[in-house]
Amino acid sequence: EVQLVESGGGLVQPGGSLRLSCAASGFTFSSYEMNWVRQAPGKGLEWVSYISSSGSTIYYADSVKGRFTISRDNAKNSLYLQMNSLRAEDTAVYYCARCAVNGAFDIWGQGTMVTVSS
Amino acid sequence: DIVMTQSPDSLAVSLGERATINCKSSQSVLYSSNNKNYLAWYQQKPGQPPKLLIYWASTRESGVPDRFSGSGSGTDFTLTISSLQAEDVAVYYCQQYYSTPPFTFGPGTKVDIK
């Protein structure tokens, strides 16, 4: 079964750090581009970051640029999001999502909740 | 960056009736080299991740019921549910994935039963 499973969320104080992971299974992870997408409570979807299949090309939303770092380990079938200098407005469910060959996001994880609060 | 808007914000439709959701992009998402619109539609039910329904503006993802259809080109797009079922109650998002990121989403349209 094709699957993405996120982990690493939790409660963190403003200014703190957190590292999210996304474990992929059921497909050749190294062949696919990947993304992080977040959703604040009761709000819509916000694209956060993109990484190419090799990891050589990376993009960030302006809202997280300079604070978040996306990476991947194709040998471990895993995607990561290192989040530093966290703010209250980063509170959200964070999803990892696979780019299909057609470019749309065809596989999503169940999400991991990040709460930034003192 | 390309800005996506959707209308209406919400709608209530009787079971078996048609639901229509509109999506507009601030610039064209039609790629001239292959004549494809880089526009997707997603369905999100409460407590669940989004699910891909439509890509390239009008191609149904595998397993998606044929009551869901997408149309439009350039900057104006429509998602139609031809005969609303109870299980279609959800929020629907359009997304552009044209060229380089950011891959922006619309604000969402909530669909309920009247």
Side-chain angles (χ1 to χ4, degrees), chain A residues 68-88:
Chain A
F68 290 11
T69 302
I70 190 172
S71 62
R72 64 190 297 162
D73 185 335
N74 286 341
K76 294 184 177 180
N77 293 329
S78 293
L79 176 72
Y80 305 101
L81 187 67
Q82 176 67 43
M83 305 186 296
N84 298 330
S85 303
L86 282 162
R87 307 166 179 168

Side-chain angles (χ1 to χ4, degrees), chain A residues 39 47 59 95 102-103 105 108-109, chain B residues 42 44 49 93 95 97 100-101:
Chain A
Q39 186 169 37
W47 171 82
Y59 294 98
Y95 298 101
N102 58 64
F105 295 4
W108 296 66
Chain B
Y42 300 87
Q44 187 179 32
Y93 296 92
Q95 179 212 21
Y97 50 101
T100 56

Side-chain angles (χ1 to χ4, degrees), chain B residues 37-56:
Chain B
N37 289 280
Y38 283 66
L39 188 286
W41 288 97
Y42 300 87
Q43 175 194 63
Q44 187 179 32
K45 297 180 180 180
Q48 295 185 19
K51 173 188 174 183
L52 176 63
L53 296 177
I54 303 280
Y55 59 91
W56 286 333

Side-chain angles (χ1 to χ4, degrees), chain B residues 56-76:
Chain B
W56 286 333
S58 61
T59 303
R60 261 188 311 273
E61 176 73 338
S62 175
V64 173
D66 60 7
R67 63 180 180 274
F68 291 92
S69 64
S71 63
S73 184
T75 61
D76 291 277

Side-chain angles (χ1 to χ4, degrees), chain A:
Chain A
E1 180 191 3
V2 174
Q3 197 172 5
L4 296 171
V5 178
E6 301 93 339
S7 61
L11 175 63
V12 61
Q13 291 188 336
S17 298
L18 216 51
R19 188 195 196 207
L20 306 184
S21 299
C22 170
S25 59
F27 65 98
T28 305
F29 179 71
S30 60
S31 296
Y32 288 87
E33 302 160 9
M34 298 293 297
N35 298 270
W36 287 99
V37 177
R38 69 184 180 183
Q39 186 169 37
K43 302 299 184 181
L45 302 169
E46 179 188 15
W47 171 82
V48 172
S49 185
Y50 159 95
I51 187 167
S52 62
S53 57
S54 67
S56 61
T57 301
I58 285 172
Y59 294 98
Y60 298 100
D62 287 345
S63 57
V64 307
K65 202 172 293 181
R67 300 187 299 121
F68 290 11
T69 302
I70 190 172
S71 62
R72 64 190 297 162
D73 185 335
N74 286 341
K76 294 184 177 180
N77 293 329
S78 293
L79 176 72
Y80 305 101
L81 187 67
Q82 176 67 43
M83 305 186 296
N84 298 330
S85 303
L86 282 162
R87 307 166 179 168
E89 54 265 37
D90 296 319
T91 294
V93 174
Y94 284 74
Y95 298 101
C96 57
R98 186 181 84 170
C99 278
V101 173
N102 58 64
F105 295 4
D106 66 335
I107 304 296
W108 296 66
Q110 285 297 314
T112 186
M113 183 71 203
V114 172
T115 302
V116 184
S117 174
S118 54

Side-chain angles (χ1 to χ4, degrees), chain B residues 88-103:
Chain B
D88 300 335
V89 170
V91 179
Y92 293 84
Y93 296 92
C94 61
Q95 179 212 21
Q96 65 80 21
Y97 50 101
Y98 179 83
S99 190
T100 56
F103 299 133

